Amino acid sequence: MNAERVAAFHPDLITALRRAQRVVVLTGAGVSAESGVPTFRDAQAGLWENFKPEELATPEAFRRDPKLVWEWYAWRREKVRSVQPNAGHKALAAMAKRFAEFTLITQNVDGLHQRAGSAGVIELHGNITRTKCFRENIVVPEWTNTGEVPPRCPQCKGHLRPDVVWFGEDLPEAAINEAMRVSSACDLFLSIGTSSVVYPAAMLPEIALRTGATVVEINPDETPLTSEATFSLRGPSGTVLPELLRAVGIS
Ligand code: BJW
């Protein structure tokens, strides 16, 4: 594709972007897909192809087989370390500077928005690069590597686990509260690269719609949000976002 091409977007969408004062963006795994990070519900590769992510990302799975779950996250952590932010992450970092208020909320645990230059990112589901104690629920920055998998907490000798939010666990309170506050007070909400099936994150565009915001979805596939969104743009975020910004005159 010619990088200079500017796709035709609905004129009302361009107007909404040009007029927006308070912008909220919610991202999901699709935003990192073009960096080479498999999306959450993608088929797992190699060693992990026989496991369903939904069945590994739970406290019950960790209790049942802590070694298996720790190793899955160790494999994913290495993957994340080996990749770079893509054009979609960079477009969002550039957008922040162009609106009076701009909040980036992510469900992703890979830290790629921050590496692309986004500041103040609200991480709803934690961060895979941090580790915490399963028993005490406190972040553990360092531990002695004895070869045991998972390693043990230096304080209580309980198992360590990734500092991410598993199914059935509460989201970090400050993060979800702030996400709901900005979603109910924005005039433009973008939902990008998420299947819109995991709550409470999937509630955020619903809140924005109810309070009268323009809601724009960017995704190659339809989701439960598609029929509700004001505009739904079909395509990969690493292409659609830069094109949209060029059309609005932001990049
Ligand atoms: C592209 C692309 C490209 C591809 N460009 N796009 C209300 C109703 C029903 C259920 C519940 C409810 N409230 C709570 C629940 C239960 C549960 C839930 O939502 N279950 C549903 C699945 C039914 N929620 C919870 O348990 C949450 N906790 C909670 O609510 O606490 C209170 C409570 C406690 C006890 C009982 C009940 C309530 C916690 C949710 C935690 C989610 N954690 C995970 C794992 C994080 C760690 C890890 O990564 O391993 O977060 S699950 C997983 O899903 C991960 C993701 O952040 C999250 C969302 O996935 P995402 O980002 O949408 O990825 P995909 O793979 O699903 O989709 C990718 C999309 O990208 C696709 O649409 C592609 O088309 C698209 N795409 N290429 C743009 N290039």
Side-chain angles (χ1 to χ4, degrees):
M1 175 180 292
N2 179 347
E4 296 307 312
R5 184 176 77 83
V6 174
F9 294 103
H10 196 291
D12 292 350
L13 169 61
I14 301 299
T15 304
L17 269 149
R18 289 200 174 127
R19 288 194 182 148
Q21 297 285 316
R22 295 178 305 279
V23 177
V24 172
V25 179
L26 171 68
T27 63
V31 166
S32 296
E34 289 155 90
S35 292
V37 183
T39 64
F40 194 77
R41 283 162 186 80
D42 260 357
Q44 302 286 287
L47 277 180
W48 301 101
E49 67 190 9
N50 294 325
F51 296 95
K52 281 190 173 168
E54 297 90 326
E55 289 165 9
L56 291 172
T58 71
E60 293 75 24
F62 188 75
R63 274 194 201 94
R64 196 167 47 238
D65 196 341
K67 183 169 184 284
L68 175 80
V69 174
W70 177 272
E71 284 176 343
W72 182 51
Y73 279 97
W75 172 76
R76 289 177 53 200
R77 202 179 295 119
E78 280 316 304
K79 181 87 203 161
V80 162
R81 282 205 181 111
S82 71
V83 303
Q84 298 302 323
N86 64 55
H89 295 109
K90 290 176 192 162
L92 290 170
M95 264 179 96
K97 305 180 184 102
R98 305 303 291 261
F99 296 97
E101 289 175 32
F102 182 91
T103 310
L104 178 53
I105 306 166
T106 190
Q107 298 170 83
N108 298 345
V109 296
D110 57 27
L112 284 172
H113 285 304
Q114 291 88 333
R115 284 172 55 194
S118 288
V121 181
I122 298 179
E123 292 183 319
L124 292 180
H125 295 160
N127 192 302
I128 199 171
T129 62
R130 281 192 311 265
T131 298
K132 66 179 181 178
C133 174
F134 185 58
R135 192 183 289 163
E136 299 169 302
N137 200 30
I138 49 170
V139 171
V140 176
E142 284 180 351
W143 60 89
T144 308
N145 193 353
T146 62
E148 194 180 355
V149 181
R152 297 272 174 182
C153 171
Q155 294 296 326
C156 76
K157 308 298 176 207
H159 279 138
L160 294 179
R161 57 163 282 183
D163 186 8
V164 297
V165 181
W166 285 331
F167 285 115
E169 295 186 319
D170 287 329
L171 277 67
E173 202 179 333
I176 188 63
N177 285 348
E178 180 62 2
M180 290 202 289
R181 188 190 70 76
V182 294
S183 301
S184 64
C186 67
D187 46 27
L188 179 68
F189 186 106
L190 291 99
S191 174
I192 310 176
T194 173
S195 53
S196 294
V197 294
V198 174
Y199 282 83
M203 204 167 69
L204 300 173
E206 296 170 8
I207 292 174
L209 275 169
R210 272 203 301 275
T211 50
T214 299
V215 172
V216 183
E217 177 181 63
I218 301 177
N219 198 311
D221 294 330
E222 286 199 6
T223 77
L225 177 65
T226 305
S227 59
E228 307 296 321
T230 324
F231 299 100
S232 195
L233 309 177
R234 283 283 83 76
S237 49
T239 305
V240 175
L241 265 171
E243 284 189 348
L244 185 59
L245 298 200
R246 272 196 294 276
V248 178
I250 287 182
S251 65

